[in-house]
């Protein structure tokens, strides 16, 4: 059999991978900004929470996090469906890395900007949302693009908790046909195609943000 014979099955499974990637990125973006802003300008009692979240999820294996959420949590009375577990694990992991991207971009804004805002009697919240963030977001985009592609590749791990994603179906087909070259070759091409879509979409978004903020690419 050729690669073309496997494509319909693998493309259908790739839709599950794409769904996990998309939803986990939504979770990751929310957590990135929540934790990143807290690290940069949060209250004293919230910062330790953000630091603990970032260090735990950056300092431990994504696979272990995935197994812990899926296999260990039910032992203490809390269980989730496999799909939700995969989305949450990927979102938490990518969000921890994204939080450092947000914090770094916010800290890169020159101190004179803050001094000028204080001179104009702006509140801290007003300074953050109207002055600092609009300048910092374009600086975050290249790093967020890399994290999004990494998140897409990490979706292959959800096959370990019985989610029928692209990797799961590829392994299933390979075991059935023993045709490693064609099956994994088709899978490689599909992952590459999805990565190119993600990169193109984020470059388009980055261009629009740059134009909206008057920043040259």
């Amino acid at each position: 059999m050729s690669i073309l014979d496997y494509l319909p099955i693998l493309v259908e499974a790739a839709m599950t991978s794409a769904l996990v990637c998309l939803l986990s990125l939504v979770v990751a973006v929310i957590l990135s900004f929540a934790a990143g802003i807290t690290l940069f300008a949060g209250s004293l009692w919230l910062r330790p929470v953000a630091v603990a979240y970032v260090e735990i999820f950056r300092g431990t294996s994504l696979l272990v996090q995935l197994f812990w959420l899926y296999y260990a949590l039910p032992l203490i009375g809390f269980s989730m469906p496999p799909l939700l577990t995969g989305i949450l694990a990927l979102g938490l992991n990518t969000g921890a890395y994204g939080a450092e991207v947000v914090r770094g971009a916010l800290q890169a804004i020159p101190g004179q900007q803050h001094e000028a805002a204080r001179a104009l009697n702006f509140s801290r919240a007003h300074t953050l949302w109207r002055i600092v963030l609009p300048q910092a977001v374009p600086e975050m985009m290249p790093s967020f693009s890399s994290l999004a592609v990494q998140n897409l590749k990490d979706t292959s791990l959800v096959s370990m908790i019985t989610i029928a994603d692209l990797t799961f179906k590829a392994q299933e087909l390979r075991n059935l046909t023993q045709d490693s070259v064609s099956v994994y070759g088709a899978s490689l091409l599909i992952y590459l195609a999805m990565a190119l879509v993600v990169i193109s979409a984020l470059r388009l978004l980055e261009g629009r943000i740059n134009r909206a903020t008057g920043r040259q690419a």
Side-chain angles (χ1 to χ4, degrees):
M1 297 178 73
S2 68
I3 287 179
L4 294 177
D5 297 315
Y6 303 121
L7 277 179
I9 298 173
L10 294 176
V11 168
E12 183 178 355
M15 295 301 101
T16 301
S17 295
L19 178 64
V20 171
C21 177
L22 178 61
L23 295 180
S24 62
L25 283 176
V26 171
V27 174
V29 169
I30 294 170
L31 291 173
S32 294
F33 278 91
I37 291 172
T38 300
L39 292 172
F40 174 72
S43 60
L44 290 178
W45 65 274
L46 272 179
R47 285 184 192 177
V49 177
V51 169
Y53 159 62
V54 170
E55 295 305 323
I56 288 171
F57 282 91
R58 286 201 312 160
T60 57
S61 163
L62 172 57
L63 186 59
V64 173
Q65 295 163 18
L66 192 65
F67 283 168
W68 194 88
L69 288 173
Y70 189 66
Y71 293 111
L73 274 185
L75 298 178
I76 57 175
F78 187 81
S79 61
M80 295 180 290
L83 186 63
L84 179 58
T85 303
I87 291 168
L88 185 59
L90 286 166
L92 286 165
N93 185 270
T94 304
Y97 288 94
E100 285 297 312
V101 171
V102 172
R103 181 189 61 80
L106 293 174
Q107 288 183 337
I109 302 302
Q112 294 90 331
Q113 302 275 352
H114 300 273
E115 294 171 7
R118 283 195 295 270
L120 293 170
N121 203 31
F122 284 4
S123 67
R124 290 183 66 189
H126 195 186
T127 301
L128 177 65
W129 293 105
R130 299 301 298 273
I131 296 175
V132 178
L133 268 176
Q135 297 178 75
V137 168
E139 301 294 336
M140 302 174 192
M141 290 307 298
S143 296
F144 272 135
S145 296
S146 298
L147 285 177
V149 174
Q150 183 61 49
N151 184 79
L152 171 63
K153 293 188 289 185
D154 286 342
T155 60
S156 62
L157 294 177
V158 302
S159 63
M160 304 297 290
I161 57 170
T162 72
I163 296 176
D165 71 325
L166 177 55
T167 299
F168 184 93
K169 282 296 182 182
Q171 292 171 339
E172 201 171 59
L173 277 175
R174 188 266 171 191
N175 291 335
L176 181 65
T177 65
Q178 297 298 309
D179 187 359
S180 300
V181 175
S182 296
V183 171
Y184 289 128
S187 302
L188 185 149
L189 292 175
I190 294 171
Y191 272 118
L192 177 60
M194 290 195 295
L196 292 175
V197 170
V198 170
I199 292 169
S200 298
L202 288 171
R203 283 181 178 169
L204 180 62
L205 177 61
E206 182 179 356
R208 290 187 175 180
I209 290 173
N210 287 336
R211 288 192 294 272
T213 56
R215 180 177 181 269
Q216 292 192 2

